[in-house]
Amino acid sequence: MRGSLVGTTVTLAAGALLTAAMTTASASPPTAPVPHRTVPVLVDCQFKKNVRPADFILACGDGNSRLNGLKWVKWDSRSAVAEGVNVVNDCKPYCAKGVFRSYHVTVRLDRPATWKKHPDVKRWTRMSVTYDDARPKGFTQTVVYPLWG
């Protein structure tokens, strides 16, 4: 009986080694990791991440300038472009009594950089707002905003 126990043990051990060798030999070669494509985010007034937001507040302190109805035609790792409306308070005679006026704009986001709050996330650092025709008094045709983050 002892000989049969030793024979069985040797057979099982040999089978396990053979199986391990065959499994390793038949396993597919390791593949290179797929690079993670990071698409930058737009950081809002509450420091929340946004991708292709429909609305965005430009004047965080008082809300007197915001982008509405944004329709994004591009959003990739280098830039983002949308069309929408910039709703701006004319603040006449002062902001509490002012009237919100709408202006059609093209918005461009660029200069992605690492977000200090989340080092694994890229964020847009600059926004350009270009007015199609009419624009608020005192505004240039294109206004460039550094973005917070």
Side-chain angles (χ1 to χ4, degrees), residues 52-54 67 69-75 80-85 104-109 128-130 132:
R52 296 178 183 262
L67 298 169
L70 295 173
K71 292 184 181 25
W72 297 94
V73 295
K74 178 181 179 183
W75 192 293
V81 178
E83 290 188 15
V85 175
H104 189 269
V105 295
T106 300
V107 177
R108 180 179 173 86
L109 305 173
S128 302
V129 176
T130 302
D132 289 356

Side-chain angles (χ1 to χ4, degrees), residues 63-96:
N64 281 324
S65 180
R66 63 184 177 269
L67 298 169
N68 287 349
L70 295 173
K71 292 184 181 25
W72 297 94
V73 295
K74 178 181 179 183
W75 192 293
D76 62 29
S77 61
R78 293 180 303 191
S79 65
V81 178
E83 290 188 15
V85 175
N86 184 200
V87 181
V88 182
N89 188 345
D90 67 9
C91 291
K92 291 180 183 176
Y94 50 93
C95 291

Side-chain angles (χ1 to χ4, degrees), residues 10-24:
V10 169
T11 303
L12 288 173
L17 286 172
L18 183 60
T19 301
M22 288 176 65
T23 302
T24 302

